[in-house]
């Protein structure tokens, strides 16, 4: 228990150090937006309430992506400050994606508060997301030094991948759970790598690019981030079914009720047998489940080993991410900090 406490405290110190380094530039970037979109951005980032008043109790999230950008630069021997424009860009892109995802998924809560679209309206939330995306690209394009163009190209590739992943995720909701056209585990992994892994990989890659690293090193860091993203998404899928709403800030069984294709359910179905057929019958044809039906599905998924399989999937990708770091020539202290955050991601409860 003591080891876990010490590890969590060390991870929190790394995240806070990176946050303090990035925060002034992030505040400046948000402050450059139109006052209305800036107000919504500040609300989304947990800085203020709906009245625009500073909110000390608001959740800013863990700041993993901005920390990865800073540590990516430090891992290649550069000063973490070199990566600040990249850290700001990925944090703004991440926030933009959450605003739009909540609208598309119909999620009314985000970090235990009304989502931006519920607080301000759908149109304003779309506009705020657009403003954040534009500011992210501009921030990176204006980065000092000779690596800005390469960094913008890296972000541009990632944005296209993100859109592809989100498109897959939305289309999967209309696919049947079994039979022709059903979503397989490999298709799911492709979606998760695009939707979640791409931005984590981009964060590490941007740090390396802005730190002047060669392509080979940058690619190794990006690969590590992508596999960590797959582990992250697997954990997210578990929390979406078995997480505590008081901690996650999301309604219980939200993904199950909407028919969202997640790893635990797909893994449970893949096992075959009578219980898997029973599960498929409960899920097909796709429809909105009530709370009781969703609870029955969750229990059967766990009985079929879906929860255990998802945990194993997360660990496999975490191990692959760590190997990618070991195979590159990186600064040991930064690698140690990255490794701590990798474990932190796997063991998170929200």
């Amino acid at each position: 228990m003591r080891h876990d406490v010490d590890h969590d405290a060390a991870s929190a110190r790394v995240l806070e150090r990176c946050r303090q380094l990035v925060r002034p530039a992030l505040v400046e970037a948000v402050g450059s937006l139109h006052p209305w979109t800036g107000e919504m951005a500040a609300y989304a980032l947990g800085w203020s309430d709906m009245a625009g008043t500073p909110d000390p109790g608001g959740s800013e999230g863990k700041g993993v992506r901005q920390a990865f950008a800073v540590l990516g630069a430090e891992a290649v021997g550069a000063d973490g400050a070199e990566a600040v424009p990249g850290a700001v860009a990925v944090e703004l892109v991440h926030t933009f994606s959450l605003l739009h995802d909540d609208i598309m998924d119909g999620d009314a809560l985000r970090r235990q508060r009304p989502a931006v679209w519920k607080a301000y309206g759908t149109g304003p939330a779309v506009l705020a997301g657009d403003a954040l995306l534009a500011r992210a690209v501009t921030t990176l394009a204006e980065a000092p030094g000779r690596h800005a163009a390469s960094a913008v190209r890296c972000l541009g590739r990632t944005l296209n991948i993100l859109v592809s992943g989100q498109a897959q995720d939305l289309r999967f909701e209309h696919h049947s759970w079994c039979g022709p056209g059903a979503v397989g585990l490999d298709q799911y992994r492709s979606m998760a790598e695009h939707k979640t892994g791409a931005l984590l990989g981009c964060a590490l890659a941007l740090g390396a690019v802005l730190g002047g690293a060669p392509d080979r090193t940058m690619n190794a860091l990006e690969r590590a981030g992508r596999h960590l993203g797959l582990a992250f998404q697997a954990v997210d899928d578990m929390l979406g079914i078995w997480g505590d709403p008081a901690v996650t800030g999301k309604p219980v069984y939200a993904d199950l009720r909407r028919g969202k294709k997640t790893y635990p359910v797909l893994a449970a179905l893949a096992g075959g047998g009578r219980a898997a057929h029973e599960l498929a019958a409960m899920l097909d044809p796709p429809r909105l489940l009530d709370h009781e039906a969703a609870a029955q599905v969750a229990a059967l998924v766990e009985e079929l080993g879906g929860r255990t399989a998802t945990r194993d999937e997360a660990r496999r990708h975490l191990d692959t991410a760590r190997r990618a770091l070991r195979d590159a020539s990186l600064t040991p202290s930064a690698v140690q900090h990255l490794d701590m955050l990798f474990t932190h991601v796997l063991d998170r409860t929200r």
Side-chain angles (χ1 to χ4, degrees):
M1 179 66 177
R2 177 67 183 172
H3 173 75
D4 291 341
V5 172
D6 288 346
H7 186 277
D8 288 346
S11 297
R13 286 193 296 270
V14 172
L15 289 170
E16 183 59 23
R17 174 178 71 83
C18 295
R19 187 191 303 279
Q20 291 302 319
L21 179 62
V22 175
R23 182 65 177 268
L26 186 58
V27 169
E28 181 181 357
V30 172
S32 71
L33 300 176
H34 181 281
W36 191 34
T37 55
E39 177 186 320
M40 288 184 279
Y43 176 83
L45 287 161
W47 299 348
S48 63
D49 58 21
M50 288 171 57
T53 306
D55 185 4
S59 173
E60 298 186 43
K62 295 186 180 300
V64 170
R65 291 158 187 82
Q66 58 183 297
F68 278 4
V70 172
L71 294 173
E74 293 176 352
V76 300
D79 190 319
E82 297 289 333
V84 166
V88 170
V90 294
E91 193 67 17
L92 294 180
V93 166
H94 177 54
T95 307
F96 137 75
S97 71
L98 296 181
L99 264 64
H100 284 194
D101 284 1
D102 284 344
I103 294 169
M104 287 182 271
D105 292 344
D107 287 338
L109 292 176
R110 170 67 62 180
R111 295 171 184 164
Q112 300 178 326
R113 299 197 301 176
V116 174
W117 72 274
K118 290 296 287 186
Y120 290 89
T122 301
V126 171
L127 184 64
D130 292 344
L132 288 166
L133 177 58
R135 184 68 253 175
V137 176
T138 303
T139 296
L140 205 51
E142 293 175 349
R146 58 190 178 86
H147 303 298
S150 296
V152 170
R153 285 194 293 271
C154 178
L155 182 64
R157 289 193 300 271
T158 299
L159 290 171
N160 280 296
I161 293 169
L162 284 173
V163 171
S164 175
Q166 181 65 8
Q168 287 176 287
D169 195 27
L170 288 175
R171 287 180 62 83
F172 284 174
E173 292 184 23
H174 302 287
H175 287 216
S176 61
W177 284 96
C178 56
V183 178
L185 288 173
D186 286 341
Q187 288 175 290
Y188 171 90
R189 291 186 185 101
S190 172
M191 178 277 295
E193 182 178 356
H194 284 69
K195 181 179 177 180
T196 305
L199 191 57
L200 287 169
C202 178
L204 284 167
L206 284 176
V209 169
L210 292 169
D215 287 348
R216 180 178 179 180
T217 304
M218 182 271 290
N219 289 335
L221 282 164
E222 184 173 26
R223 185 165 61 255
R226 286 195 175 214
H227 279 283
L228 183 69
L230 283 160
F232 186 100
Q233 186 61 56
V235 173
D236 202 54
D237 285 353
M238 286 194 295
L239 294 176
I241 300 176
W242 298 287
D244 181 355
V247 178
T248 64
K250 292 276 194 172
V252 67
Y253 305 142
D255 289 348
L256 284 180
R257 295 188 65 188
R258 199 171 65 247
K260 196 175 184 68
K261 303 300 186 292
T262 60
Y263 195 94
V265 184
L266 294 174
L269 289 169
R274 179 177 298 177
H277 287 300
E278 179 184 346
L279 176 60
M282 295 170 69
L283 294 169
D284 272 334
R287 64 195 184 282
L288 185 65
L289 301 176
D290 61 26
H291 182 88
E292 183 179 353
Q296 292 174 344
V297 169
L300 190 51
V301 167
E302 184 156 19
E303 180 185 326
L304 284 163
R307 189 173 189 171
T308 299
T310 306
R311 191 74 180 178
D312 291 344
E313 173 81 356
R315 290 192 181 282
R316 280 194 298 273
H317 287 292
L318 179 64
D319 290 342
T320 303
R322 285 174 167 155
R323 282 197 300 273
L325 292 182
R326 289 197 302 269
D327 292 344
S329 179
L330 302 171
T331 303
S333 59
V335 171
Q336 182 183 16
H337 289 163
L338 284 170
D339 189 75
M340 279 195 302
L341 295 188
F342 282 13
T343 301
H344 186 68
V345 165
L346 185 68
D347 293 338
R348 69 196 176 95
T349 57
R350 59 183 177 180

